[in-house]
Amino acid sequence: MKPEMKITVTRNGPYVVTGNVPLNRELAICDRDGTPVRWEAGERYPDRGIYSLCRCGKSANKPYCDGAHLASGFKDAVQSPKQPEPFFEEADVIEGPGVTLYDYPSLCATGRFCHRGGDVWKLAATASDRESVECVIRDACDCPSGRLVAADRETGKPIEPDLKPEISLIELPGSKISGPLWVKGGIVIESIGGWQYEVRNRVTLCRCGTSRNMPFCDGSHISIGFNDGTEEVS
């Protein structure tokens, strides 16, 4: 029996990853205007059954933890003391003529694929032809944080990308910024309090140490210019 893939958020410390979870990098490739247009696979790390990923942003051995959180006095930012409500119970709903879009703003990691075809919210509200509907679905599916989820207008069934379980380190080469941990494929995330967050196909976890929505990313890596020093973003 294979061990359960799990990420445990430790108090004022790293993410402890168990269950042989694959680790790689994912690059957001942008156009000339700086808008992301596609994802591109980057470096793959050697397989490890158990490993710890830096959460404070100070490790000299990123993405792995080297104990820098102890020396830097890293403390968890504001974190929910109780389990959040399920996504579809809290998300805003835009019901357009051709597609339904669910939006949970507090999960935003500023991936910006929502602007690839314009404004995905305005498009969802008016999309009726096949091309526009597919654009909304594509933009929603490329949202790494899972803030946006498109659903079939008639059946109400969510439309999700086919993601295998793995953790990807998001990089934005054009701006030389390193983004969050992109957790894919329904990996269990255990909170500091010991309970599990809602298991989802895609979420993003903070790795710069400054999010105000710990453990989830809130886009703070952009404002502080976080760069983990890899060749892919330097």
Side-chain angles (χ1 to χ4, degrees):
M1 182 176 180
K2 292 183 178 180
E4 178 186 42
M5 291 186 176
K6 185 169 73 171
I7 300 171
T8 301
V9 185
T10 63
R11 185 171 298 281
N12 302 325
Y15 300 108
V16 176
V17 184
T18 54
N20 298 293
V21 181
L23 179 67
N24 58 27
R25 291 187 183 274
E26 197 86 25
L27 284 63
I29 306 303
C30 300
D31 60 18
R32 293 181 179 179
D33 297 323
T35 301
V37 293
R38 61 184 173 86
W39 290 107
E40 182 177 292
E43 175 187 6
R44 280 197 166 273
Y45 288 83
D47 292 339
R48 295 187 181 186
I50 302 174
Y51 53 93
S52 296
L53 296 177
C54 175
R55 189 159 73 96
C56 70
K58 304 295 185 182
S59 173
N61 187 37
K62 298 182 186 71
Y64 302 110
C65 171
D66 68 353
H69 56 280
L70 298 174
S72 67
F74 173 70
K75 300 292 183 183
D76 293 306
V78 177
Q79 181 163 321
S80 175
K82 62 180 181 178
Q83 191 166 9
E85 295 297 322
F87 176 87
F88 289 106
E89 293 184 14
E90 290 295 305
D92 299 326
V93 184
I94 299 174
E95 295 185 354
V99 66
T100 300
L101 183 66
Y102 291 89
D103 178 21
Y104 201 145
S106 65
L107 294 178
C108 185
T110 320
R112 298 184 296 127
F113 280 87
C114 48
H115 296 292
R116 176 173 50 191
D119 185 313
V120 71
W121 297 273
K122 291 181 179 179
L123 186 59
T126 60
S128 57
D129 62 281
R130 181 177 179 179
E131 182 178 353
S132 297
V133 169
E134 289 182 348
C135 183
V136 172
I137 294 172
R138 186 170 61 252
D139 288 356
C141 285
D142 275 341
C143 170
S145 70
R147 167 188 173 172
L148 299 175
V149 175
D152 184 275
R153 187 69 178 85
E154 295 183 1
T155 67
K157 183 178 179 180
I159 302 169
E160 281 285 342
D162 183 16
L163 301 176
K164 61 182 180 181
E166 64 182 11
I167 298 174
S168 296
L169 311 171
I170 292 179
E171 309 291 1
L172 295 81
S175 57
K176 298 183 179 181
I177 288 177
S178 299
L181 301 176
W182 185 1
V183 181
K184 307 174 184 177
I187 298 174
V188 171
I189 301 174
E190 186 175 286
S191 74
I192 290 173
W195 43 263
Q196 294 180 358
Y197 290 96
E198 179 183 14
V199 177
R200 301 190 63 210
N201 188 40
R202 49 199 163 104
V203 298
T204 48
L205 299 178
C206 174
R207 67 175 171 128
C208 71
T210 62
S211 173
R212 294 182 179 277
N213 189 34
M214 291 286 189
F216 301 103
C217 171
D218 69 354
S220 293
H221 55 276
I222 294 177
S223 61
I224 68 169
F226 179 67
N227 185 310
D228 70 3
T230 64
E231 292 181 359
E232 290 169 326
V233 292
S234 298

